[in-house]
Amino acid sequence: MNRNEIMDVLNFRHSCKVFDDKKKISDVDFEVILEAGRLSPSSMGIEPWKFLVIENQELKNELGAVCWGGKAQMPTCSHLVLYLSRVAKELRFDSNYIDYLVKDVKHLPEDVAPTYKGIMKSIEEVRFKEDNDLEAYASDQVHIALANMMNVAAILGIDSCPIGGIDRKAVEKILVDRGLLDTEEFNITVSAAFGYRVNNPGEKLRQGIDEIVTWIK
Ligand SMILES: Cc1cc2nc3c(=O)[nH]c(=O)nc-3n(C[C@H](O)[C@H](O)[C@H](O)COP(=O)(O)O)c2cc1C
């Protein structure tokens, strides 16, 4: 991809407000979008995310009805992703999840694993004594996956809309009632709709580069 093509992709991506409900994203394209989430960076490599991918129309309608930020996007999109983030007790240095991550995902040698967990422990003691702080940190990581997925979608010519305007309690109830969420393990962080636009977006309005960048040479 050359520089102009990259700029075209950056300008193509916008927060799409209504999708063409007749157009579905292909499985092969959506797999690449999910890989963009899976391969995203996260602090200490904690990968605190889980992606609930919803194609079911009834569920998309139900969620759209309780999410003020996604009233039109959720029912019309092709794929709706709910981004879950692990709760604090799952992310503590001595949790089963971190143990699994260290052993089964990162394959850290037995003499290195305690060092990794020790670093996590000291960070927790200094920065994340409160569960809320640890969960906010996990949510920050989940938003990195969200951004990567929207940008990769744009490369594929697929539109998206990040949706933070969700009624978390109402969404939680809908998912728990359907057996789709265990609140002992995960919080709902944010969501995003993916599909194809109906309307062309307006001009992209942003601050100038000189207003947001300071060079130190
Ligand atoms: C974390 C996050 C949450 C957002 N929540 C909503 C939302 O609930 N509904 C919506 O229509 N747009 C939402 N947006 C989109 C922003 O309003 C949009 O990115 C911003 O106005 C810039 O416009 P653009 O994305 O079209 O370039 C959200 C964006 C982010 C990053």
Side-chain angles (χ1 to χ4, degrees):
M1 214 186 250
N2 65 34
R3 290 183 188 84
N4 286 339
E5 287 166 338
I6 293 169
M7 286 309 300
D8 287 346
V9 167
L10 295 174
N11 282 303
F12 171 89
R13 191 217 55 78
H14 71 292
S15 294
C16 181
K17 303 301 179 195
V18 188
F19 295 90
D20 182 343
D21 58 7
K22 306 269 177 319
K23 283 175 87 174
K24 294 288 160 214
I25 301 169
S26 70
D27 290 347
V28 279
D29 276 353
F30 209 75
E31 274 162 27
V32 176
I33 293 171
L34 288 174
E35 284 298 313
R38 188 177 76 90
L39 297 173
S40 291
S42 58
S43 177
M44 294 290 293
I46 58 166
E47 304 174 37
W49 43 65
K50 182 157 186 170
F51 313 125
L52 282 188
V53 183
I54 302 167
E55 292 184 86
N56 180 282
Q57 191 59 45
E58 191 193 321
L59 185 52
K60 284 189 286 177
N61 293 345
E62 215 177 314
L63 292 167
V66 296
C67 295
W68 56 268
K71 280 201 178 320
Q73 299 91 324
M74 287 183 173
T76 57
C77 72
S78 166
H79 292 56
L80 174 65
V81 180
L82 290 181
Y83 291 82
L84 307 184
S85 169
R86 287 190 184 268
V87 299
K89 74 176 169 60
E90 287 278 302
L91 297 170
R92 297 279 170 204
F93 75 96
D94 53 356
S95 66
N96 288 342
Y97 172 68
I98 295 299
D99 207 41
Y100 149 78
L101 209 58
V102 162
K103 282 191 191 140
D104 299 333
V105 180
K106 299 183 188 300
H107 307 298
L108 291 187
E110 281 194 7
D111 55 330
V112 177
T115 310
Y116 175 87
K117 287 187 184 180
I119 294 169
M120 288 195 84
K121 182 170 185 274
S122 49
I123 295 173
E124 278 171 28
E125 283 166 358
V126 176
R127 280 181 62 192
F128 306 126
K129 277 207 185 89
E130 302 296 328
D131 282 356
N132 280 350
D133 294 335
L134 184 52
E135 288 178 3
Y137 162 77
S139 167
D140 288 346
Q141 316 312 313
V142 172
H143 281 76
I144 296 171
L146 163 75
N148 278 347
M149 287 166 70
M150 293 190 300
N151 281 321
V152 165
I155 292 170
L156 294 166
I158 293 167
D159 291 301
S160 62
C161 184
I163 303 167
I166 57 183
D167 178 338
R168 284 183 180 70
K169 282 284 153 219
V171 173
E172 195 176 285
K173 183 171 178 351
I174 290 169
L175 297 180
V176 169
D177 286 352
R178 291 185 183 231
L180 294 170
L181 171 69
D182 179 356
T183 53
E184 287 292 303
E185 255 189 303
F186 289 102
N187 288 323
I188 298 155
T189 295
V190 67
S191 66
F194 293 87
Y196 295 93
R197 69 187 70 184
V198 170
N199 305 312
N200 283 323
E203 186 194 349
K204 234 184 213 316
L205 299 172
R206 291 292 195 273
Q207 298 174 70
I209 202 81
D210 293 341
E211 288 164 291
I212 59 162
V213 177
T214 302
W215 288 88
I216 300 105
K217 295 210 180 194

